[in-house]
Amino acid sequence: MARRCEICGRGPQVGNKVSHSHILTKRRWLPNLQVVRANVGGTTKRIRVCTRCLKAGKVTRAV
């Protein structure tokens, strides 16, 4: 299962970890995904949504 938001498509980003001596090693930043029960197309589904989309109100949560 991919670490992607099903609303906006946000996924992992890659970059470098920089030590004090400036040695660069690869690292990943993962999005803050939450599994949420949401209304999708009139039915209730469990989807993975980033907290940005939750806060912005792009998801209608099922009760």
Side-chain angles (χ1 to χ4, degrees), residues 4-16:
R4 290 222 169 258
C5 175
E6 296 185 30
I7 303 298
C8 65
R10 258 186 92 153
Q13 291 186 330
V14 294
N16 288 318

Side-chain angles (χ1 to χ4, degrees), residues 6 11 13 15 20 24 27 32 40 42 48 55 58-59 61:
E6 296 185 30
Q13 291 186 330
H20 179 69
L24 304 178
R27 64 159 291 186
N32 188 0
V40 179
R48 297 175 106 185
K55 192 173 179 182
K58 295 181 182 177
V59 179
R61 296 182 83 154

Side-chain angles (χ1 to χ4, degrees), residues 42-61:
T43 60
T44 302
K45 279 186 164 184
R46 290 169 63 88
I47 58 174
R48 297 175 106 185
V49 182
C50 68
T51 52
R52 267 188 178 178
C53 291
L54 281 175
K55 192 173 179 182
K58 295 181 182 177
V59 179
T60 55
R61 296 182 83 154

Side-chain angles (χ1 to χ4, degrees), residues 8-39:
C8 65
R10 258 186 92 153
Q13 291 186 330
V14 294
N16 288 318
K17 183 169 94 175
V18 183
S19 70
H20 179 69
S21 61
H22 205 74
I23 296 173
L24 304 178
T25 54
K26 294 300 256 180
R27 64 159 291 186
R28 295 174 78 189
W29 284 271
L30 299 177
N32 188 0
L33 295 180
Q34 304 294 319
V35 177
V36 170
R37 285 181 33 187
N39 291 326

